[in-house]
Amino acid sequence: MKKFYKILEKKVSIALINAGYRTEEVVVNESSRPDLGEYQFNGVMALAKEYHKNPLEIANAVLEQLQKDAFFKNVNIAGPGFINMTISDEALISFTNDNDYTYTKNGKLIFLDYGGANVAKSLHVGHLRSANIGESLKRLCKYLGYDTISDTHLGDWGRPLGLVILELSKRHPDWLYFDEKYNGEYPEVEITNALLEEIYPYASAKAKEDENYLKEAQKMTTKLQNGVRGIISLWNKIMEVSKTDIKKIYDRLNTHFDLYKGESDAETYVPEMLSYLDTLNIVEESEGAKVINVAEDSDKLEIPPMLLIKSDGGILYSTTELATIYDRMKNFNPDEIWYIVDKRQDLHFTQVFRTAYKSKIAKESTKLVFAGFGTMNGSDGKPFKTRDGGVMRLNDLLALVKDESLKRLSENITENRDEIAEKIAMSAVKYADLLPNRESDYIFDIEKFCDLDGKTGPYILYSTIRMKSLLNKAEEAGISYNKINVIDNEFDKDVILNLNNLDNVLNKSFNYKSLNDITEYIYKLTTSYNRFYTENVILKESDELKRESWLYLTKTVYEVNKILLDILAIELPDKM
Ligand code: ARG
């Protein structure tokens, strides 16, 4: 990938050197005054302070250097010393023609933890953002040249599973799984996902009002954690059923994991990790529990110690979390681990990360990153619910959007309506989910998300398909196009200037671990293309040089949109 801003910054740096100034941190930005120039360099003021000079003197010296370069059509100074730059058409054309839109591998490994589905519980709307943001960040990392490993980190252990198994034992006391003396093969039993989804809320509610039931559930959890054979076999069966269902929904969201590990896998590393921690003298006793103190002097809010072992000897979410880092460091040794989890789990991760560094379970050089996200709310501003106030299942939410998309699908589409509506619906959900900044909450608004006009997935898809159909028509007419020859008007120019921003946008998105820069950018690029498309009659243009340029520009925007849609994990239908 050729990086437009890097080229500009280099040119400014060279101009500064030639004029006799230092060149650290040279940053060129898109201009806030397009009437004066396309790009601006505002660093002269800081240099003036440092060199005790009039900024205009420095700006003029830089200007004189830049003006020698044919790369620029115009360079001028505004106000006290802002340098504005306009690029020559030749430079813009050759940059666009020569770009290849690929990044080379950089040898760094980023491990991404997202999804976070819980076994035996249905995925709910709260899991949507983790899947979407996580999947897209993974694709972005890969695109930028990182190696990645993705893991769902299933909630497959502990209390919730204890509850489900207890309730199964109440309903089917005759099942051999519960007979601890039995040591033969276990016969097939019928467990469906629908059953599990019904059982968990039931058992969870019951444990809240019935103390005996709660105690029994705790016992069952202990049996599970102690590896009682029948209980583990039943748990395996539950895992199998539940995972199949979870995978189906993730497939629907075009979200795919390298690993389907979970809290239960971390359990394997707990004893080894605990004995390692024992050698360090950092584990303290507190009211019968074992904790690790992680408070720091600079804390503005109190950070309580991380709970390692409960007073009854049981382990917790934080214990398996730490053991998961232990596993990941030992087996994958990544440069960074990113957690894409609801921002309300912030404290949990602060405690675990601090413990991981303090104990050297994570190397100092390994970046542990908590990328917390905001919630999707209903129009009342509270987390999105079903009509009767319950938690909305993710599948039900996707079905709503699918229905809306089918309803809006043009009657001209007679084939594959269902498949096309599914892709449009997923684009609507995903784009809307990735549009707000990662940490912001947003409101679910189905009408807005599915609108063909506006900042929406369907708008991007529709426009991209239209680019493709123009290219198809050119091909059918036997017109070839291999480069841009001329920049003809403000509309094709604007598209080219937007294309120059690609590398910046991708890196900004990577740095902030938020997709909003990309969703905004694809909208801006697409809109500038659509304006150009409306203003110019492309195929019928009689000037062949112009026609070739416009078709090549169309192809470039189409390809960039495809790259971006792929990063957003949005699939493009053939028609809509
Ligand atoms: N299963 C958890 C939940 O539903 C999310 C897991 C997030 N990942 C992690 N490593 N803790 O809240």
Side-chain angles (χ1 to χ4, degrees):
M1 170 81 95
K2 293 214 295 175
K3 299 166 182 175
F4 195 79
Y5 286 83
K6 292 276 172 297
I7 295 175
L8 273 180
E9 283 158 4
K10 186 129 193 220
K11 287 187 182 288
V12 173
S13 293
I14 292 172
L16 282 168
I17 291 177
N18 288 342
Y21 297 98
R22 71 157 181 90
T23 62
E24 288 101 72
E25 292 162 59
V26 169
V27 179
V28 172
N29 290 311
E30 203 173 358
S31 171
S32 54
R33 288 284 307 270
D35 51 322
L36 299 177
E38 290 151 358
Y39 299 94
Q40 62 191 37
F41 171 62
N42 300 337
V44 164
M45 263 47 76
L47 286 172
K49 266 205 193 127
E50 219 179 290
Y51 286 88
H52 304 291
K53 280 196 178 165
N54 180 342
L56 275 178
E57 186 189 326
I58 303 179
N60 272 312
V62 174
L63 179 89
E64 200 180 299
Q65 295 293 331
L66 290 176
Q67 278 172 337
K68 291 182 198 158
D69 189 339
F71 193 82
F72 300 102
K73 178 148 80 191
N74 178 278
V75 188
N76 61 61
I77 299 170
F82 301 113
I83 298 182
N84 299 302
M85 294 161 274
T86 298
I87 314 301
S88 74
D89 286 2
E90 294 71 30
L92 284 178
I93 290 170
S94 82
F95 181 83
T96 313
N97 284 342
D98 295 346
N99 215 347
D100 72 350
Y101 302 106
T102 57
Y103 288 83
T104 43
K105 285 216 167 226
N106 59 30
K108 290 234 157 75
L109 174 63
I110 300 184
F111 195 109
L112 295 103
D113 179 316
Y114 61 94
N118 298 314
V119 167
K121 292 200 240 173
S122 45
L123 281 155
H124 56 79
V125 295
H127 291 110
L128 179 69
R129 298 203 81 190
S130 183
N132 287 340
I133 298 172
E135 179 69 17
S136 292
L137 286 179
K138 175 189 75 182
R139 289 165 180 245
L140 175 64
C141 290
K142 274 194 179 161
Y143 189 71
L144 290 175
Y146 293 86
D147 288 323
T148 61
I149 298 174
S150 56
D151 182 13
T152 44
H153 198 68
L154 290 172
D156 60 358
W157 204 237
R159 206 185 95 102
L161 274 300
L163 278 168
V164 170
I165 297 173
L166 172 70
E167 184 54 28
L168 281 171
S169 76
K170 298 271 176 202
R171 295 187 191 185
H172 305 280
D174 52 315
W175 280 3
L176 283 166
Y177 291 105
F178 305 116
D179 179 351
E180 288 192 23
K181 289 189 205 87
Y182 179 74
N183 53 21
E185 283 226 352
Y186 294 101
E188 268 301 304
V189 291
E190 160 105 351
I191 295 180
T192 61
N193 203 59
L195 174 72
L196 294 174
E197 288 190 356
E198 179 258 312
I199 281 189
Y200 178 74
Y202 173 84
S204 164
K206 186 148 184 189
K208 279 195 191 112
E209 59 201 31
D210 180 342
E211 213 177 302
N212 269 336
Y213 191 88
L214 177 66
K215 282 205 180 110
E216 285 182 275
Q218 281 160 348
K219 266 197 204 140
M220 190 57 92
T221 308
T222 310
K223 282 188 189 174
L224 177 68
Q225 290 181 337
N226 290 343
V228 172
R229 196 177 81 101
I231 304 305
I232 288 288
S233 300
L234 184 57
W235 173 79
N236 272 321
K237 172 85 192 162
I238 295 171
M239 286 287 281
E240 192 187 300
V241 173
S242 192
K243 260 197 208 169
T244 310
D245 189 71
I246 289 169
K247 276 188 184 155
K248 251 192 238 154
I249 306 184
Y250 282 142
D251 271 347
R252 226 183 145 179
L253 290 170
N254 203 6
T255 294
H256 312 281
F257 300 95
D258 299 315
L259 305 173
Y260 263 84
K261 291 187 130 193
E263 294 168 19
S264 65
D265 293 282
E267 164 95 10
T268 327
Y269 292 92
V270 168
E272 188 179 326
M273 177 184 83
L274 291 178
S275 38
Y276 167 69
L277 288 173
D278 271 341
T279 65
L280 301 178
N281 270 333
I282 57 172
V283 182
E284 295 171 34
E285 293 271 331
S286 167
E287 294 167 35
K290 290 189 172 185
V291 305
I292 296 181
N293 218 323
V294 291
E296 287 169 9
D297 291 344
S298 56
D299 288 340
K300 290 202 183 73
L301 291 172
E302 191 196 326
I303 306 289
M306 192 198 98
L307 252 175
L308 194 62
I309 310 272
K310 287 192 291 187
S311 52
D312 67 3
I315 59 167
L316 309 99
Y317 186 42
S318 44
T319 325
T320 48
E321 194 77 77
L322 190 64
T324 303
I325 299 181
Y326 190 89
D327 170 13
R328 289 173 183 169
M329 290 308 300
K330 191 169 163 159
N331 294 312
F332 303 102
N333 191 21
D335 295 282
E336 305 192 14
I337 309 180
W338 295 7
Y339 293 82
I340 297 89
V341 181
D342 191 310
K343 69 177 175 195
R344 289 168 292 188
Q345 293 194 26
D346 187 5
L347 177 62
H348 161 78
F349 283 100
T350 303
Q351 294 170 311
V352 171
F353 289 177
R354 284 187 183 182
T355 308
Y357 287 126
K358 186 171 176 174
S359 61
K360 302 205 162 54
I361 285 176
K363 285 186 301 196
E364 212 176 312
S365 60
T366 303
K367 270 199 215 159
L368 300 175
V369 181
F370 176 61
F373 54 80
T375 37
M376 184 179 87
N377 292 332
S379 49
D380 58 357
K382 303 212 180 91
F384 193 66
K385 291 261 155 58
T386 56
R387 280 202 190 157
D388 55 12
V391 177
M392 173 143 317
R393 295 166 72 237
L394 187 48
N395 244 345
D396 294 342
L397 176 97
L398 298 180
L400 272 181
V401 184
K402 168 84 170 284
D403 284 348
E404 182 71 24
S405 304
L406 254 177
K407 213 169 74 192
R408 290 171 181 243
L409 191 61
S410 154
E411 281 168 15
N412 299 335
I413 308 265
T414 51
E415 279 170 36
N416 303 332
R417 285 181 69 83
D418 195 74
E419 197 184 308
I420 294 173
E422 171 76 8
K423 285 189 177 162
I424 298 173
M426 292 312 119
S427 83
V429 170
K430 284 180 153 275
Y431 189 88
D433 199 33
L434 299 171
L435 187 60
N437 184 299
R438 168 169 52 75
E439 291 187 77
S440 309
D441 299 342
Y442 73 98
I443 288 176
F444 179 76
D445 182 343
I446 193 165
E447 303 270 319
K448 193 166 120 193
F449 297 174
C450 294
D451 203 341
L452 207 51
D453 284 317
K455 237 182 237 181
T456 67
Y459 168 77
I460 307 290
L461 292 188
Y462 182 81
S463 312
T464 310
I465 292 173
R466 198 165 65 175
M467 295 170 202
K468 178 67 176 153
S469 92
L470 175 67
L471 297 173
N472 287 346
K473 278 187 198 140
E475 207 174 308
E476 280 158 25
I479 305 170
S480 62
Y481 43 90
N482 297 310
K483 58 186 185 315
I484 295 173
N485 310 293
V486 285
I487 294 177
D488 181 68
N489 52 57
E490 60 182 292
F491 303 104
D492 52 7
K493 170 96 173 253
D494 192 45
V495 178
I496 291 177
L497 292 179
N498 274 313
L499 281 170
N500 291 348
N501 290 340
L502 179 62
D503 168 66
N504 257 13
V505 168
L506 295 179
N507 279 296
K508 201 165 161 202
S509 187
F510 175 87
N511 290 333
Y512 289 108
K513 295 161 185 62
S514 176
L515 282 306
N516 61 305
D517 285 300
I518 296 183
T519 40
E520 291 286 351
Y521 174 73
I522 194 172
Y523 176 75
K524 200 167 171 216
L525 177 64
T526 302
T527 305
S528 77
Y529 178 82
N530 285 347
R531 225 176 294 126
F532 150 81
Y533 179 92
T534 318
E535 296 292 332
N536 298 296
V537 183
I538 300 172
L539 272 189
K540 296 210 179 97
E541 172 60 49
S542 55
D543 179 337
E544 278 183 26
L545 286 181
K546 271 199 218 171
R547 191 183 61 190
E548 173 172 36
S549 304
W550 290 345
L551 283 169
Y552 189 81
L553 189 59
T554 303
K555 175 173 158 263
T556 308
V557 177
Y558 173 70
E559 279 168 4
V560 168
N561 268 15
K562 289 256 289 186
I563 290 168
L564 297 173
L565 285 172
D566 193 55
I567 290 174
L568 300 174
I570 293 176
E571 290 182 287
L572 187 66
D574 297 331
K575 306 191 185 123
M576 66 186 269

